[in-house]
Amino acid sequence: MAMIIELLGTGTADAGVLEIATGDNGNEPITFIQRNGGVNNERMRVHSNGYIGIGDSTPAALLTVGNGDLFQVDTSGHLYPR
């Protein structure tokens, strides 16, 4: 069974909702989605291998920031800006 937690903002329906979700077999990522006016915008994900993507749904390193892997930190702590 998938797990979804929604934190609701104040004001109109479906405005400012933060959704934290994952799948049901332990291999799916944990995703952090901001929903506003019915539009889902993924902001961050944590993959089962521990890689974290902020603004990147396919992180290539321990920490990846920006779509297209603009900034990365590997498991040794080395920084790799593009």
Side-chain angles (χ1 to χ4, degrees), residues 49-53 58-64 69 71-75 80:
N49 64 3
Y51 285 13
I52 299 170
T58 57
L62 186 61
L63 173 63
T64 302
D69 307 326
F71 176 85
Q72 299 177 13
V73 178
D74 69 14
T75 56
Y80 297 96

Side-chain angles (χ1 to χ4, degrees), residues 3-82:
M3 171 73 96
I4 297 175
I5 299 170
E6 288 188 345
L7 305 174
L8 306 175
T10 59
T12 61
D14 202 30
V17 175
L18 171 64
E19 177 181 301
I20 303 169
T22 190
D24 59 358
N25 72 11
N27 291 325
E28 291 90 355
I30 299 169
T31 56
F32 295 79
I33 298 167
Q34 179 186 30
R35 184 170 59 236
N36 192 355
V39 177
N40 289 341
N41 296 296
E42 183 176 309
R43 301 301 186 194
M44 182 173 75
R45 76 172 37 210
V46 180
H47 279 272
S48 60
N49 64 3
Y51 285 13
I52 299 170
I54 299 173
D56 189 329
S57 62
T58 57
L62 186 61
L63 173 63
T64 302
V65 178
N67 192 14
D69 307 326
L70 298 176
F71 176 85
Q72 299 177 13
V73 178
D74 69 14
T75 56
S76 297
H78 298 111
L79 304 176
Y80 297 96
R82 285 184 100 184

